[in-house]
Amino acid sequence: MVRRSEDHERPVERLYDTASELLAKSYDANLHFGYWDDFGNGSLAAAAERMTDQVIERIRVKPGQRVLDVGCGTGTPALRLARARGVEVVGISISRRETDGANERSRRAGLARRVRFDHADAMALPYATASFDAVWAIESMSHMPDRAKALGEIARGLRPGGRLVIADGFLHGTGTGPSNPVMDSMCAAFRMHSPPTLAGYEDLLASAGLRLTESTDLSRHARHSMARLTETLKGDSAEFARVLGRGTFVRLMESLCEADVTKIVGYALLTAERTADPRNSG
Ligand code: SAH
C-alpha cells in the first residue's frame, strides 16, 4: 500500500470531508469568493450571496427546469438558486460528507423534493445524456485533475442549447511563464490544479462542444476575498493546519504574506451553450 505523507497527495474528497464544515464555520457557508465594490466593504456573507446572484443571473433558468450543480459544497448556492428560480437542482460532490450535509440542509429548508445532492465525480457523471437544462460549476473546475474530461461530461449531460456557467480563477497573461510559488502553495493547500488562461478556457469549452457566449472578468470585484480568506486562515490557524497539513499550511501562509496572488490569478464568469452536436454526445 502506498503511504501518503501528512501533507501530500491527500485527495480532494478527504479535504472537503473535513474542510467544508470548518470553512462554513469560519469563512462562509458559500465556499466561494465574494462580489465586492471597489473598497471591499460589508460582510463576506453578503458578498458571497452577491456572487451566487451573478451566476444565477447568467444561468437564466425558468421554473420547472432541471439544473446540475457541479461541486455543491454545503449546498447553500443550489438552495438559493432553487428558491430564486423555482427550478429542480441536482448537486454533486466528490465528498459524501458534503452531500449528506447538503441533503440535510435541503430537508430543513423544506426543499428536499426539488433539491437533492448525490455523491458523484464530475469526471464520470452518473446521469443520462441531455438530462439537464443547465449546469453550473462554482469554483469546482480548479479541483479537476482532467478539466477536459469534466467539461466533456458536462456537455453530454446538457440538452442541446443548454447553458453552462463556470465561476472560477483564470491565469493572467499567456499562462506560459514559470510556475509561481504563491499559486503552487494555494494549489497544494486546496488540492487544486493551476487554472488555464481565459483563452485556454475557451479552447477547452470548444473541444467539449460548448460555445462560449459570454466571458465576464470579475477580478476587480472578487479580489477582496483573498484578504478575507487570509484573515480566516489566520484566525483559525490551528484547525486549518490540522485539516490542510501543517507543512502545507505554513508554506501557504508564508507565500500569501510574500506575494499578492490576485496579480497572478483573476476571476471570471464564463457562460457557454451546448452546441447541437457536441463531440462527446456518447
Ligand atoms: N460550489 C460550491 C463549493 C465550492 S468548493 C460553492 O460555491 O459554495 C469546491 C467543490 O467541488 C467542493 O464541494 C468539492 O467537494 C467539489 N469537487 C471537487 N472535485 C470534484 C469532483 N471531481 N467531482 C465532484 N465534485 C468535486
PDB file of all heavy atoms in Angstrom, residues 12 16 29-32 69-73 77 92-95 98 120-123 138-140 143-144, ligand 1:
ATOM      1  N   VAL A  12      -8.813  15.218  -2.849  1.00  0.00           N
ATOM      2  CA  VAL A  12      -9.727  16.339  -2.673  1.00  0.00           C
ATOM      3  C   VAL A  12     -10.959  15.933  -1.861  1.00  0.00           C
ATOM      4  O   VAL A  12     -11.486  16.734  -1.093  1.00  0.00           O
ATOM      5  CB  VAL A  12     -10.080  16.956  -4.056  1.00  0.00           C
ATOM      6  CG1 VAL A  12     -10.939  16.046  -4.883  1.00  0.00           C
ATOM      7  CG2 VAL A  12     -10.716  18.321  -3.919  1.00  0.00           C
ATOM      8  N   TYR A  16     -12.379  17.986   1.440  1.00  0.00           N
ATOM      9  CA  TYR A  16     -13.703  18.562   1.655  1.00  0.00           C
ATOM     10  C   TYR A  16     -14.492  17.836   2.729  1.00  0.00           C
ATOM     11  O   TYR A  16     -15.377  18.427   3.351  1.00  0.00           O
ATOM     12  CB  TYR A  16     -14.465  18.690   0.329  1.00  0.00           C
ATOM     13  CG  TYR A  16     -14.005  19.939  -0.387  1.00  0.00           C
ATOM     14  CD1 TYR A  16     -13.059  19.890  -1.399  1.00  0.00           C
ATOM     15  CD2 TYR A  16     -14.467  21.184   0.016  1.00  0.00           C
ATOM     16  CE1 TYR A  16     -12.600  21.054  -2.011  1.00  0.00           C
ATOM     17  CE2 TYR A  16     -14.020  22.345  -0.590  1.00  0.00           C
ATOM     18  CZ  TYR A  16     -13.086  22.275  -1.598  1.00  0.00           C
ATOM     19  OH  TYR A  16     -12.638  23.428  -2.183  1.00  0.00           O
ATOM     20  N   ALA A  29     -20.824  29.791   4.545  1.00  0.00           N
ATOM     21  CA  ALA A  29     -21.427  28.553   4.030  1.00  0.00           C
ATOM     22  C   ALA A  29     -21.342  28.488   2.508  1.00  0.00           C
ATOM     23  O   ALA A  29     -21.440  27.419   1.916  1.00  0.00           O
ATOM     24  CB  ALA A  29     -22.871  28.439   4.475  1.00  0.00           C
ATOM     25  N   ASN A  30     -21.179  29.635   1.848  1.00  0.00           N
ATOM     26  CA  ASN A  30     -20.857  29.646   0.415  1.00  0.00           C
ATOM     27  C   ASN A  30     -19.340  29.521   0.331  1.00  0.00           C
ATOM     28  O   ASN A  30     -18.621  30.422   0.764  1.00  0.00           O
ATOM     29  CB  ASN A  30     -21.275  30.975  -0.217  1.00  0.00           C
ATOM     30  CG  ASN A  30     -22.781  31.149  -0.208  1.00  0.00           C
ATOM     31  OD1 ASN A  30     -23.487  30.474  -0.958  1.00  0.00           O
ATOM     32  ND2 ASN A  30     -23.270  32.023   0.646  1.00  0.00           N
ATOM     33  N   LEU A  31     -18.863  28.418  -0.219  1.00  0.00           N
ATOM     34  CA  LEU A  31     -17.412  28.212  -0.257  1.00  0.00           C
ATOM     35  C   LEU A  31     -16.841  28.834  -1.525  1.00  0.00           C
ATOM     36  O   LEU A  31     -16.170  28.167  -2.304  1.00  0.00           O
ATOM     37  CB  LEU A  31     -17.092  26.701  -0.203  1.00  0.00           C
ATOM     38  CG  LEU A  31     -17.779  25.893   0.897  1.00  0.00           C
ATOM     39  CD1 LEU A  31     -17.341  24.435   0.849  1.00  0.00           C
ATOM     40  CD2 LEU A  31     -17.493  26.480   2.269  1.00  0.00           C
ATOM     41  N   HIS A  32     -17.188  30.100  -1.746  1.00  0.00           N
ATOM     42  CA  HIS A  32     -16.646  30.771  -2.930  1.00  0.00           C
ATOM     43  C   HIS A  32     -16.353  32.237  -2.643  1.00  0.00           C
ATOM     44  O   HIS A  32     -16.720  32.764  -1.589  1.00  0.00           O
ATOM     45  CB  HIS A  32     -17.571  30.596  -4.141  1.00  0.00           C
ATOM     46  CG  HIS A  32     -18.963  31.128  -3.954  1.00  0.00           C
ATOM     47  ND1 HIS A  32     -20.075  30.325  -4.050  1.00  0.00           N
ATOM     48  CD2 HIS A  32     -19.444  32.361  -3.684  1.00  0.00           C
ATOM     49  CE1 HIS A  32     -21.161  31.050  -3.866  1.00  0.00           C
ATOM     50  NE2 HIS A  32     -20.802  32.302  -3.630  1.00  0.00           N
ATOM     51  N   ASP A  69     -25.600  21.100 -10.358  1.00  0.00           N
ATOM     52  CA  ASP A  69     -24.601  21.914  -9.649  1.00  0.00           C
ATOM     53  C   ASP A  69     -23.363  21.036  -9.446  1.00  0.00           C
ATOM     54  O   ASP A  69     -23.377  20.110  -8.638  1.00  0.00           O
ATOM     55  CB  ASP A  69     -25.190  22.368  -8.306  1.00  0.00           C
ATOM     56  CG  ASP A  69     -24.170  23.074  -7.417  1.00  0.00           C
ATOM     57  OD1 ASP A  69     -23.031  23.325  -7.862  1.00  0.00           O
ATOM     58  OD2 ASP A  69     -24.529  23.374  -6.251  1.00  0.00           O
ATOM     59  N   VAL A  70     -22.309  21.327 -10.207  1.00  0.00           N
ATOM     60  CA  VAL A  70     -21.083  20.516 -10.143  1.00  0.00           C
ATOM     61  C   VAL A  70     -20.176  21.053  -9.033  1.00  0.00           C
ATOM     62  O   VAL A  70     -19.672  22.162  -9.119  1.00  0.00           O
ATOM     63  CB  VAL A  70     -20.355  20.546 -11.510  1.00  0.00           C
ATOM     64  CG1 VAL A  70     -18.989  19.893 -11.406  1.00  0.00           C
ATOM     65  CG2 VAL A  70     -21.190  19.863 -12.570  1.00  0.00           C
ATOM     66  N   GLY A  71     -19.995  20.235  -7.988  1.00  0.00           N
ATOM     67  CA  GLY A  71     -19.182  20.656  -6.835  1.00  0.00           C
ATOM     68  C   GLY A  71     -20.014  21.528  -5.926  1.00  0.00           C
ATOM     69  O   GLY A  71     -19.845  22.740  -5.869  1.00  0.00           O
ATOM     70  N   CYS A  72     -20.950  20.888  -5.185  1.00  0.00           N
ATOM     71  CA  CYS A  72     -22.027  21.639  -4.500  1.00  0.00           C
ATOM     72  C   CYS A  72     -21.620  22.245  -3.170  1.00  0.00           C
ATOM     73  O   CYS A  72     -22.365  23.059  -2.625  1.00  0.00           O
ATOM     74  CB  CYS A  72     -23.217  20.716  -4.298  1.00  0.00           C
ATOM     75  SG  CYS A  72     -22.834  19.286  -3.243  1.00  0.00           S
ATOM     76  N   GLY A  73     -20.480  21.860  -2.597  1.00  0.00           N
ATOM     77  CA  GLY A  73     -20.101  22.388  -1.281  1.00  0.00           C
ATOM     78  C   GLY A  73     -21.142  22.057  -0.230  1.00  0.00           C
ATOM     79  O   GLY A  73     -21.614  20.923  -0.140  1.00  0.00           O
ATOM     80  N   PRO A  77     -25.452  27.442  -2.285  1.00  0.00           N
ATOM     81  CA  PRO A  77     -25.764  28.113  -3.562  1.00  0.00           C
ATOM     82  C   PRO A  77     -26.928  27.446  -4.307  1.00  0.00           C
ATOM     83  O   PRO A  77     -27.776  28.149  -4.868  1.00  0.00           O
ATOM     84  CB  PRO A  77     -24.456  27.995  -4.365  1.00  0.00           C
ATOM     85  CG  PRO A  77     -23.387  27.766  -3.344  1.00  0.00           C
ATOM     86  CD  PRO A  77     -24.047  26.988  -2.250  1.00  0.00           C
ATOM     87  N   ILE A  92     -23.833  17.762  -7.061  1.00  0.00           N
ATOM     88  CA  ILE A  92     -22.929  16.625  -6.814  1.00  0.00           C
ATOM     89  C   ILE A  92     -21.670  17.114  -6.108  1.00  0.00           C
ATOM     90  O   ILE A  92     -21.243  18.254  -6.275  1.00  0.00           O
ATOM     91  CB  ILE A  92     -22.508  15.889  -8.109  1.00  0.00           C
ATOM     92  CG1 ILE A  92     -21.738  16.818  -9.060  1.00  0.00           C
ATOM     93  CG2 ILE A  92     -23.680  15.233  -8.779  1.00  0.00           C
ATOM     94  CD1 ILE A  92     -20.816  16.074 -10.004  1.00  0.00           C
ATOM     95  N   SER A  93     -21.102  16.196  -5.337  1.00  0.00           N
ATOM     96  CA  SER A  93     -19.792  16.452  -4.739  1.00  0.00           C
ATOM     97  C   SER A  93     -19.042  15.136  -4.639  1.00  0.00           C
ATOM     98  O   SER A  93     -19.637  14.067  -4.506  1.00  0.00           O
ATOM     99  CB  SER A  93     -19.948  17.062  -3.350  1.00  0.00           C
ATOM    100  OG  SER A  93     -18.688  17.056  -2.709  1.00  0.00           O
ATOM    101  N   ILE A  94     -17.729  15.263  -4.667  1.00  0.00           N
ATOM    102  CA  ILE A  94     -16.840  14.126  -4.508  1.00  0.00           C
ATOM    103  C   ILE A  94     -16.757  13.718  -3.029  1.00  0.00           C
ATOM    104  O   ILE A  94     -16.287  12.634  -2.707  1.00  0.00           O
ATOM    105  CB  ILE A  94     -15.440  14.486  -5.085  1.00  0.00           C
ATOM    106  CG1 ILE A  94     -14.567  13.285  -5.375  1.00  0.00           C
ATOM    107  CG2 ILE A  94     -14.735  15.492  -4.220  1.00  0.00           C
ATOM    108  CD1 ILE A  94     -14.917  12.561  -6.609  1.00  0.00           C
ATOM    109  N   SER A  95     -17.247  14.588  -2.159  1.00  0.00           N
ATOM    110  CA  SER A  95     -17.224  14.308  -0.714  1.00  0.00           C
ATOM    111  C   SER A  95     -18.612  13.880  -0.247  1.00  0.00           C
ATOM    112  O   SER A  95     -19.569  14.656  -0.317  1.00  0.00           O
ATOM    113  CB  SER A  95     -16.778  15.564   0.049  1.00  0.00           C
ATOM    114  OG  SER A  95     -17.291  15.548   1.366  1.00  0.00           O
ATOM    115  N   GLU A  98     -20.109  16.017   2.439  1.00  0.00           N
ATOM    116  CA  GLU A  98     -20.756  17.246   1.955  1.00  0.00           C
ATOM    117  C   GLU A  98     -22.172  16.951   1.463  1.00  0.00           C
ATOM    118  O   GLU A  98     -23.098  17.698   1.789  1.00  0.00           O
ATOM    119  CB  GLU A  98     -19.963  17.847   0.792  1.00  0.00           C
ATOM    120  CG  GLU A  98     -18.817  18.707   1.217  1.00  0.00           C
ATOM    121  CD  GLU A  98     -18.202  19.485   0.045  1.00  0.00           C
ATOM    122  OE1 GLU A  98     -18.304  19.040  -1.111  1.00  0.00           O
ATOM    123  OE2 GLU A  98     -17.626  20.542   0.301  1.00  0.00           O
ATOM    124  N   ALA A 120     -20.954  12.007  -6.281  1.00  0.00           N
ATOM    125  CA  ALA A 120     -20.538  11.616  -7.637  1.00  0.00           C
ATOM    126  C   ALA A 120     -19.317  12.410  -8.067  1.00  0.00           C
ATOM    127  O   ALA A 120     -19.038  13.479  -7.520  1.00  0.00           O
ATOM    128  CB  ALA A 120     -21.685  11.870  -8.620  1.00  0.00           C
ATOM    129  N   ASP A 121     -18.610  11.869  -9.050  1.00  0.00           N
ATOM    130  CA  ASP A 121     -17.409  12.510  -9.587  1.00  0.00           C
ATOM    131  C   ASP A 121     -17.769  13.224 -10.894  1.00  0.00           C
ATOM    132  O   ASP A 121     -18.336  12.612 -11.807  1.00  0.00           O
ATOM    133  CB  ASP A 121     -16.353  11.423  -9.850  1.00  0.00           C
ATOM    134  CG  ASP A 121     -15.006  12.017 -10.269  1.00  0.00           C
ATOM    135  OD1 ASP A 121     -14.956  13.192 -10.711  1.00  0.00           O
ATOM    136  OD2 ASP A 121     -14.010  11.290 -10.167  1.00  0.00           O
ATOM    137  N   ALA A 122     -17.415  14.500 -10.989  1.00  0.00           N
ATOM    138  CA  ALA A 122     -17.736  15.283 -12.184  1.00  0.00           C
ATOM    139  C   ALA A 122     -17.091  14.700 -13.438  1.00  0.00           C
ATOM    140  O   ALA A 122     -17.544  14.974 -14.549  1.00  0.00           O
ATOM    141  CB  ALA A 122     -17.266  16.724 -11.985  1.00  0.00           C
ATOM    142  N   MET A 123     -16.039  13.928 -13.274  1.00  0.00           N
ATOM    143  CA  MET A 123     -15.368  13.384 -14.464  1.00  0.00           C
ATOM    144  C   MET A 123     -16.018  12.074 -14.939  1.00  0.00           C
ATOM    145  O   MET A 123     -15.579  11.487 -15.930  1.00  0.00           O
ATOM    146  CB  MET A 123     -13.876  13.222 -14.178  1.00  0.00           C
ATOM    147  CG  MET A 123     -13.206  14.592 -14.084  1.00  0.00           C
ATOM    148  SD  MET A 123     -11.505  14.526 -13.572  1.00  0.00           S
ATOM    149  CE  MET A 123     -11.662  13.910 -11.920  1.00  0.00           C
ATOM    150  N   ILE A 138     -19.326  26.278  -9.681  1.00  0.00           N
ATOM    151  CA  ILE A 138     -18.785  27.442  -8.962  1.00  0.00           C
ATOM    152  C   ILE A 138     -17.537  26.993  -8.195  1.00  0.00           C
ATOM    153  O   ILE A 138     -17.627  26.214  -7.244  1.00  0.00           O
ATOM    154  CB  ILE A 138     -19.835  28.061  -8.013  1.00  0.00           C
ATOM    155  CG1 ILE A 138     -21.139  28.373  -8.763  1.00  0.00           C
ATOM    156  CG2 ILE A 138     -19.275  29.308  -7.333  1.00  0.00           C
ATOM    157  CD1 ILE A 138     -22.255  28.973  -7.912  1.00  0.00           C
ATOM    158  N   GLU A 139     -16.406  27.429  -8.644  1.00  0.00           N
ATOM    159  CA  GLU A 139     -15.108  27.134  -8.017  1.00  0.00           C
ATOM    160  C   GLU A 139     -14.856  25.642  -7.799  1.00  0.00           C
ATOM    161  O   GLU A 139     -14.259  25.252  -6.801  1.00  0.00           O
ATOM    162  CB  GLU A 139     -14.951  27.945  -6.730  1.00  0.00           C
ATOM    163  CG  GLU A 139     -14.859  29.428  -7.050  1.00  0.00           C
ATOM    164  CD  GLU A 139     -14.694  30.334  -5.842  1.00  0.00           C
ATOM    165  OE1 GLU A 139     -14.016  29.936  -4.892  1.00  0.00           O
ATOM    166  OE2 GLU A 139     -15.229  31.445  -5.885  1.00  0.00           O
ATOM    167  N   SER A 140     -15.346  24.835  -8.708  1.00  0.00           N
ATOM    168  CA  SER A 140     -15.035  23.404  -8.628  1.00  0.00           C
ATOM    169  C   SER A 140     -14.100  22.972  -9.758  1.00  0.00           C
ATOM    170  O   SER A 140     -13.348  21.996  -9.595  1.00  0.00           O
ATOM    171  CB  SER A 140     -16.314  22.557  -8.658  1.00  0.00           C
ATOM    172  OG  SER A 140     -17.078  22.837  -9.810  1.00  0.00           O
ATOM    173  N   HIS A 143     -10.435  22.056  -9.194  1.00  0.00           N
ATOM    174  CA  HIS A 143     -10.072  20.813  -8.496  1.00  0.00           C
ATOM    175  C   HIS A 143      -9.956  19.619  -9.444  1.00  0.00           C
ATOM    176  O   HIS A 143      -9.537  18.546  -9.034  1.00  0.00           O
ATOM    177  CB  HIS A 143     -11.124  20.472  -7.436  1.00  0.00           C
ATOM    178  CG  HIS A 143     -11.170  21.446  -6.304  1.00  0.00           C
ATOM    179  ND1 HIS A 143     -10.151  21.586  -5.404  1.00  0.00           N
ATOM    180  CD2 HIS A 143     -12.112  22.345  -5.938  1.00  0.00           C
ATOM    181  CE1 HIS A 143     -10.459  22.523  -4.519  1.00  0.00           C
ATOM    182  NE2 HIS A 143     -11.643  22.998  -4.828  1.00  0.00           N
ATOM    183  N   MET A 144     -10.374  19.792 -10.688  1.00  0.00           N
ATOM    184  CA  MET A 144     -10.442  18.633 -11.595  1.00  0.00           C
ATOM    185  C   MET A 144      -9.060  18.312 -12.152  1.00  0.00           C
ATOM    186  O   MET A 144      -8.471  19.143 -12.841  1.00  0.00           O
ATOM    187  CB  MET A 144     -11.371  18.930 -12.786  1.00  0.00           C
ATOM    188  CG  MET A 144     -12.748  19.386 -12.411  1.00  0.00           C
ATOM    189  SD  MET A 144     -13.687  18.075 -11.641  1.00  0.00           S
ATOM    190  CE  MET A 144     -14.918  19.049 -10.767  1.00  0.00           C
TER     191      MET A 144
HETATM  192  N1  SAH B   1     -19.714  25.343  -5.451  1.00  0.00           N
HETATM  193  C1  SAH B   1     -19.649  25.382  -4.003  1.00  0.00           C
HETATM  194  C2  SAH B   1     -18.394  24.697  -3.443  1.00  0.00           C
HETATM  195  C3  SAH B   1     -17.057  25.175  -3.993  1.00  0.00           C
HETATM  196  S1  SAH B   1     -15.692  24.275  -3.251  1.00  0.00           S
HETATM  197  C4  SAH B   1     -19.772  26.799  -3.529  1.00  0.00           C
HETATM  198  O1  SAH B   1     -19.643  27.706  -4.338  1.00  0.00           O
HETATM  199  O2  SAH B   1     -20.014  27.011  -2.331  1.00  0.00           O
HETATM  200  C5  SAH B   1     -15.361  23.029  -4.496  1.00  0.00           C
HETATM  201  C6  SAH B   1     -16.365  21.887  -4.524  1.00  0.00           C
HETATM  202  O3  SAH B   1     -16.013  21.000  -5.609  1.00  0.00           O
HETATM  203  C7  SAH B   1     -16.395  21.017  -3.269  1.00  0.00           C
HETATM  204  O4  SAH B   1     -17.738  20.746  -2.989  1.00  0.00           O
HETATM  205  C8  SAH B   1     -15.684  19.731  -3.718  1.00  0.00           C
HETATM  206  O5  SAH B   1     -16.065  18.592  -2.978  1.00  0.00           O
HETATM  207  C9  SAH B   1     -16.141  19.654  -5.158  1.00  0.00           C
HETATM  208  N2  SAH B   1     -15.355  18.785  -6.050  1.00  0.00           N
HETATM  209  C10 SAH B   1     -14.010  18.777  -6.223  1.00  0.00           C
HETATM  210  N3  SAH B   1     -13.657  17.836  -7.119  1.00  0.00           N
HETATM  211  C11 SAH B   1     -14.806  17.235  -7.542  1.00  0.00           C
HETATM  212  C12 SAH B   1     -15.094  16.197  -8.478  1.00  0.00           C
HETATM  213  N4  SAH B   1     -14.143  15.579  -9.159  1.00  0.00           N
HETATM  214  N5  SAH B   1     -16.389  15.849  -8.650  1.00  0.00           N
HETATM  215  C13 SAH B   1     -17.384  16.462  -7.961  1.00  0.00           C
HETATM  216  N6  SAH B   1     -17.171  17.449  -7.056  1.00  0.00           N
HETATM  217  C14 SAH B   1     -15.893  17.842  -6.856  1.00  0.00           C
END
